[in-house]
Amino acid sequence: VDVFRLVEEVKTMLSTLIGEMNLKVTTDIGRGTILTADRRAVKQMLINLLSNAIKFSHKFGSIHIAAKTDKDGMLVLSVSDTGIGIAPERLSTIAEPFISSNVYAKEKGGAGIGLSITKRLINLHDGDLEVQSEPGIGSTFSLVFPTAQRSAA
């Protein structure tokens, strides 16, 4: 999977929502970043994470998408936002189906299964979904893939 191209494709798919919220979306993904994974699954995970970042961001906020290889050779693909954040006591349940992180989430719509699907898909890749969040500051959701291959183009 060409990670740079896939992220650009997903950004284009969601560009109307991004524009409606006047969000600034930046990326830090090297051209030539390659991931050995199921392309459709990675695309679905990115759609879920970017959609949530858009949904829970404030107007004129920002979203940053990055890919890097960590010290263990894992490819970490992260989506960070400057949105509402998630309370610490809710972090352990956010990937459970039909669980929304707060009342605001229910107001924003959705079935509450996006993160559950993402968690299952990353697990099928022997990877992990990591979350860092602070209420009022924003969240970072990271997909951690094993045996990453990274090359510069």
Side-chain angles (χ1 to χ4, degrees), residues 18-24 57-63 82:
I18 292 166
E20 288 172 358
M21 293 291 292
N22 292 304
L23 298 170
K24 179 181 180 184
S57 285
H58 304 290
K59 272 195 171 230
F60 305 103
S62 62
I63 297 170
T82 57

Side-chain angles (χ1 to χ4, degrees), residues 1 6 10 12 40 44 52 62 85 99 114 118 121 123 147 149:
V1 177
L6 186 59
V10 171
T12 300
R40 290 182 310 166
Q44 186 61 59
N52 280 353
S62 62
I99 301 289
T118 299
L121 289 173
N123 287 345
T147 62
Q149 297 176 346

Side-chain angles (χ1 to χ4, degrees), residues 106-147:
K106 290 176 176 37
E107 292 172 4
K108 287 293 198 171
I113 60 171
L115 287 177
S116 176
I117 291 168
T118 299
K119 177 75 171 162
R120 289 174 193 241
L121 289 173
I122 192 67
N123 287 345
L124 289 172
H125 285 83
D126 294 322
D128 197 17
L129 174 65
E130 296 178 353
V131 184
Q132 295 176 322
S133 188
E134 190 171 335
I137 303 292
S139 303
T140 298
F141 287 82
S142 298
L143 300 167
V144 182
F145 293 91
T147 62

Side-chain angles (χ1 to χ4, degrees), residues 1-151:
V1 177
D2 182 325
V3 177
F4 180 86
R5 284 188 181 179
L6 186 59
V7 167
E8 291 301 312
E9 182 181 326
V10 171
K11 281 175 40 185
T12 300
M13 284 178 57
L14 299 174
S15 62
T16 300
L17 294 174
I18 292 166
E20 288 172 358
M21 293 291 292
N22 292 304
L23 298 170
K24 179 181 180 184
V25 179
T26 58
T27 59
D28 183 12
I29 301 167
R31 290 186 185 267
T33 300
I34 303 299
L35 173 65
T36 304
D38 180 278
R39 186 180 193 283
R40 290 182 310 166
V42 177
K43 182 176 180 179
Q44 186 61 59
M45 289 185 275
L46 277 171
I47 290 168
N48 292 347
L49 294 183
L50 185 54
S51 295
N52 280 353
I54 295 165
K55 187 185 303 184
F56 298 114
S57 285
H58 304 290
K59 272 195 171 230
F60 305 103
S62 62
I63 297 170
H64 185 69
I65 306 167
K68 64 178 174 128
T69 304
D70 71 8
K71 63 180 173 43
D72 298 320
M74 307 284 253
L75 182 78
V76 180
L77 182 56
S78 60
V79 177
S80 302
D81 65 60
T82 57
I84 62 171
I86 303 164
E89 63 273 12
R90 303 250 189 230
L91 287 174
S92 63
T93 62
I94 60 169
E96 292 180 19
F98 310 109
I99 301 289
S100 292
S101 63
N102 57 34
V103 174
Y104 182 73
K106 290 176 176 37
E107 292 172 4
K108 287 293 198 171
I113 60 171
L115 287 177
S116 176
I117 291 168
T118 299
K119 177 75 171 162
R120 289 174 193 241
L121 289 173
I122 192 67
N123 287 345
L124 289 172
H125 285 83
D126 294 322
D128 197 17
L129 174 65
E130 296 178 353
V131 184
Q132 295 176 322
S133 188
E134 190 171 335
I137 303 292
S139 303
T140 298
F141 287 82
S142 298
L143 300 167
V144 182
F145 293 91
T147 62
Q149 297 176 346
R150 186 177 173 106
S151 60

